[in-house]
Amino acid sequence: MSKKEKATYPSCPYCVNPRLFQEVLAMKPDEKNIATHPQRIGPYWRVMPRLRADWSFEGMAGTPTTRGDFWLITYTGDEFAERLKDFTAYMIGQEVETKPSQAPGPFLASSMDRLKHGAAWRYGLYFAVRITHPQTKIAVDLHWWPTHERMVTLRDVPDEGATPRDLRLVAEALKFVRVETRGRPGGFAEIELIKAIQEQGEQVTQRGVAKALGTSDRTIREWLTQQGKTWLGFIEEAQRTEIV
């Protein structure tokens, strides 16, 4: 996004209102919003079975609801891997008139195509997520807006300071919002490899994926070897993965 575009883009709701999560969570749900529904990627999700050739899954992650001018999705233990089942993630989004840039990393999502909402065309943008755990008062907030980079904020830190348990749970929560960078020596990240495989569908080939990533099939083979994975095994893994 250019400096001129940033200057005219709406202000970041989280930056304008640090109490955004408290206010949105306190709102009564109006109705389900099904126009924008992020998919999932990352090691913290429960593995879900592939059902049909179009890669539909047994239940999408979370249920979006409309809260005032915002959308809210709540992810609970049923969605997460067993070791993370006590965490909860709250993801906030909204409509924007101007096309956003691609959202970076997990729990952030932006639609590159316009969405028809009533008589108007808008874009969907999920820009903030809060990670909580019942055994600590501290919440981990991650937010991003097309005019600035990702920002992580710790909320509700006790005046007396954090306990060792607080620190352990916060460290675990921060893993949810970490951007995957494994495989960068080959010029691509794991998420990019997964996307390229999914985009090629049932006719996916190593050479075709390499071309899409601007790399070589040899580089992909070397990356798979470094990760201890096989090509066919990784294809199956990619097909089971939902992307945010």
Side-chain angles (χ1 to χ4, degrees):
M1 181 175 285
S2 67
K3 290 183 178 180
K4 182 178 180 181
E5 290 173 324
K6 288 183 177 180
T8 59
Y9 209 83
S11 299
C12 170
Y14 186 96
C15 293
V16 171
N17 181 12
R19 289 185 52 81
L20 180 65
F21 271 100
Q22 290 93 315
E23 294 179 5
V24 171
L25 288 170
M27 293 179 186
K28 182 180 179 180
D30 295 328
E31 59 185 45
K32 287 186 178 181
N33 162 62
I34 59 174
T36 302
H37 204 326
Q39 294 175 307
R40 313 175 312 167
I41 191 169
Y44 28 76
W45 298 105
R46 176 172 63 89
V47 175
M48 304 182 78
R50 178 181 172 185
L51 296 181
R52 299 190 299 271
D54 62 359
W55 298 350
S56 295
F57 291 79
E58 180 187 336
M60 292 295 289
T63 300
T65 59
T66 302
R67 308 264 181 133
D69 295 330
F70 298 97
W71 303 330
L72 176 71
I73 300 180
T74 301
Y75 299 100
T76 63
D78 290 341
E79 303 285 354
F80 297 135
E82 179 65 23
R83 66 185 179 85
L84 302 172
K85 62 182 179 63
D86 291 329
F87 283 93
T88 299
Y90 303 97
M91 189 170 169
I92 293 179
Q94 70 173 114
E95 296 178 3
V96 292
E97 295 185 7
T98 305
K99 184 175 182 178
S101 50
Q102 183 65 49
F107 290 104
L108 302 168
S110 54
S111 60
M112 295 293 98
D113 298 316
R114 293 191 301 172
L115 307 168
K116 187 65 176 291
H117 288 186
W121 287 94
R122 297 288 189 271
Y123 295 91
L125 178 60
Y126 283 92
F127 60 90
V129 62
R130 169 166 289 186
I131 310 294
T132 66
H133 192 283
Q135 294 182 13
T136 180
K137 295 180 179 179
I138 302 174
V140 174
D141 286 1
L142 166 72
H143 84 280
W144 165 84
W145 196 247
T147 57
H148 67 66
E149 300 297 325
R150 290 161 32 104
M151 297 182 181
V152 175
T153 307
L154 299 185
R155 295 290 184 187
D156 301 322
V157 178
D159 293 336
E160 63 273 18
T163 66
R165 182 174 65 183
D166 289 331
L167 296 176
R168 176 179 60 81
L169 292 173
V170 167
E172 196 70 24
L174 287 170
K175 295 179 182 179
F176 280 80
V177 298
R178 181 179 59 192
V179 176
E180 177 62 66
T181 56
R182 288 184 300 164
R184 270 296 176 193
F188 57 85
E190 183 172 352
I191 185 174
E192 295 169 333
L193 182 57
I194 291 173
K195 285 181 178 179
I197 289 173
Q198 292 184 350
E199 288 170 358
Q200 292 208 8
E202 298 292 339
Q203 304 301 318
V204 60
T205 65
Q206 206 170 96
R207 180 169 297 180
V209 170
K211 184 177 180 180
L213 294 175
T215 187
S216 66
D217 48 354
R218 178 180 178 179
T219 299
I220 291 178
R221 288 194 296 272
E222 291 175 348
W223 183 90
L224 290 168
T225 299
Q226 292 171 1
Q227 305 300 320
K229 301 176 183 290
T230 65
W231 173 242
L232 293 179
F234 191 76
I235 289 178
E236 292 181 359
E237 180 181 330
Q239 292 174 347
R240 292 195 307 268
T241 300
E242 296 180 48
I243 298 178
V244 166

